[in-house]
């Protein structure tokens, strides 16, 4: 798939099954992520790959960290990482820098996630970028080995779509774009 087609046709795919990208495909996806723009060359990107039985462990980590009040909430957290065969936890490790505020380091990680989701699509797989309360929880960050200051920018769920790509939404460019003039 050529680059423009991949960029213009990626859609989120919530229902994902085996196989997940692996081997050379996974390397290519990570390589695309690591081509994100990066002010100050701070390299804020950390990717934790969660597969197989480790997905259930991740659900347990969510439960321990968030201490849900109801069985329904607990079951939801336990099941969350099982929604795809591969979960890539994408964390921006934030550094003090006189010219690069945290928002720019988070933006760099967001660009990396988007690069990866387009690469996943170009290779014939599917993905969805998710966050939710688990991404805001300092307890989750600590359990994963990060600090309060770091940001879980996304959980990129990846695998093979169970149905062909949903229709690509068409946007009216006029709503979003205008030539600025004074
Ligand atoms: C920062 C961020 C967080 C998101 N979190 C969630 C989420 O927790 N759950 C969800 O269903 N979609 C989430 N989304 C949206 C989906 O990834 C996806 O963009 C949305 O379903 C629209 O589909 P599309 O990307 O094909 O237009 C998030 C998107 C972004 C950019």
């Amino acid at each position: 798939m050529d680059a423009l087609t991949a960029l213009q046709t990626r859609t989120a795919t919530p229902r994902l099954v085996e196989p997940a990208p692996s081997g050379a495909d996974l390397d290519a996806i990570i390589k695309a992520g690591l081509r994100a723009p990066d002010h100050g060359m701070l390299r804020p990107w950390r990717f934790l790959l969660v597969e197989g039985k480790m997905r259930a462990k991740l659900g347990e980590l969510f439960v321990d960290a968030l201490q849900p009040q109801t069985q329904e909430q607990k079951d939801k957290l336990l099941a969350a990482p099982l929604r795809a065969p591969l979960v890539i936890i994408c964390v921006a490790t934030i550094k003090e820098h006189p010219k690069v505020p945290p928002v720019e380091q988070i933006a760099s990680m967001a660009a990396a996630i988007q690069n990866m989701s387009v690469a996943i699509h170009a290779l014939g797989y599917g993905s969805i970028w998710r966050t939710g309360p688990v991404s805001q929880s300092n307890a989750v960050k600590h359990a994963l080995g990060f600090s309060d200051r770091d940001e879980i920018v996304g959980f990129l769920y990846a695998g093979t779509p169970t149905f062909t790509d949903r229709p690509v939404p068409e946007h009216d460019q006029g709503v979003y774009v205008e030539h600025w003039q004074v």
Side-chain angles (χ1 to χ4, degrees), residues 11-159:
T11 56
T13 41
R15 270 169 260 296
L16 296 158
V17 294
E18 299 276 359
S22 62
D25 284 349
L26 184 55
D27 286 347
I29 291 160
I30 299 294
K31 190 170 181 179
L34 294 173
R35 271 289 62 241
D38 173 21
H39 192 181
M41 307 300 164
L42 296 182
R43 312 303 192 222
W45 323 292
R46 295 294 179 278
F47 305 107
L48 301 180
L49 306 178
V50 186
E51 298 178 279
K53 290 185 179 148
M54 293 310 291
R55 295 173 306 150
K57 292 263 183 218
L58 181 61
E60 290 166 16
L61 181 153
F62 289 161
V63 168
D64 290 344
L66 268 63
Q67 297 285 310
Q69 298 301 302
T70 68
Q71 188 63 40
E72 190 186 352
Q73 290 167 337
K74 182 178 176 186
D75 290 344
K76 200 172 167 194
L77 288 171
L78 288 172
L82 306 178
R83 289 175 290 182
L86 170 64
V87 184
I88 308 175
I89 309 174
C90 302
V91 183
T93 51
I94 306 299
K95 297 174 187 74
E96 282 288 344
H97 191 282
K99 287 188 187 161
V100 188
V103 66
E104 295 190 6
Q105 300 174 50
I106 293 165
S108 178
M109 178 48 107
I113 296 173
Q114 177 64 2
N115 274 9
M116 291 194 294
S117 69
V118 174
I120 287 167
H121 170 57
L123 289 167
Y125 300 96
S127 72
I128 181 165
W129 178 347
R130 296 184 188 272
T131 49
V134 288
S135 64
Q136 302 298 324
S137 159
N138 285 334
V140 170
K141 293 182 199 175
H142 296 165
L144 293 172
F146 298 97
S147 72
D148 291 4
R149 191 172 164 74
D150 299 327
E151 287 286 341
I152 301 175
V153 183
F155 294 85
L156 189 61
Y157 286 70

Side-chain angles (χ1 to χ4, degrees), residues 7 28 36 43-44 55 68 107 119 126 132 138 156 160 165 168 170 178 180:
L7 284 162
R43 312 303 192 222
R55 295 173 306 150
N138 285 334
L156 189 61
T160 298
D165 290 349
V168 179
E170 283 292 333
E178 59 189 295
W180 182 74

